[in-house]
Amino acid sequence: MPLVVGMANDVASTTAAWGHTYLALLYSALLIYILGSLGSENLKYLRNEKLQKLGRISYTLYLVHPLILSAIYIGVRQPEALHSFGAVPLSALRLCCR
């Protein structure tokens, strides 16, 4: 709990100190659960074709999104810097509604 509370106050210093350890632990636990439950009825939704297609598309977007974002910032001649979470929607709005 202190990690989450600390993140609410200062995300940058918490990330610098802990990295993404909490995410690694979460995804490791999820992966261990899934691998231990292969063929189980609990995981039948993961075998859905539409969900698998969405997974392939989203993974591809994850791999190329830095290039897309860089191209957008180069195109609008703005520095690639967001100094707070509040700047994200404002930046997206500015890029969409020039």
Side-chain angles (χ1 to χ4, degrees):
M1 189 64 160
L3 178 62
V4 175
V5 172
M7 286 182 65
N9 295 331
D10 188 10
V11 175
S13 66
T14 304
T15 302
W18 288 92
H20 293 292
T21 305
Y22 58 97
L23 288 174
L25 292 173
L26 172 74
Y27 291 130
S28 297
L30 184 63
L31 185 62
I32 289 169
Y33 172 75
I34 289 172
L35 291 175
S37 303
L38 288 178
S40 169
E41 278 294 311
N42 294 339
L43 300 177
K44 67 180 179 184
Y45 61 91
L46 293 177
R47 293 185 284 274
N48 183 328
E49 283 184 39
K50 292 179 182 178
L51 191 59
Q52 290 177 358
K53 185 175 181 178
L54 177 65
R56 284 190 293 273
I57 291 169
S58 62
Y59 185 66
T60 302
L61 287 175
Y62 164 73
L63 291 176
V64 300
H65 84 274
L67 298 173
I68 294 169
L69 288 175
S70 294
I72 290 170
Y73 279 106
I74 290 170
V76 296
R77 294 182 174 87
Q78 293 291 319
E80 288 188 53
L82 298 174
H83 301 290
S84 69
F85 287 122
V88 174
L90 292 175
S91 181
L93 184 62
R94 183 171 186 279
L95 290 173
C96 293
C97 307
R98 289 182 68 192

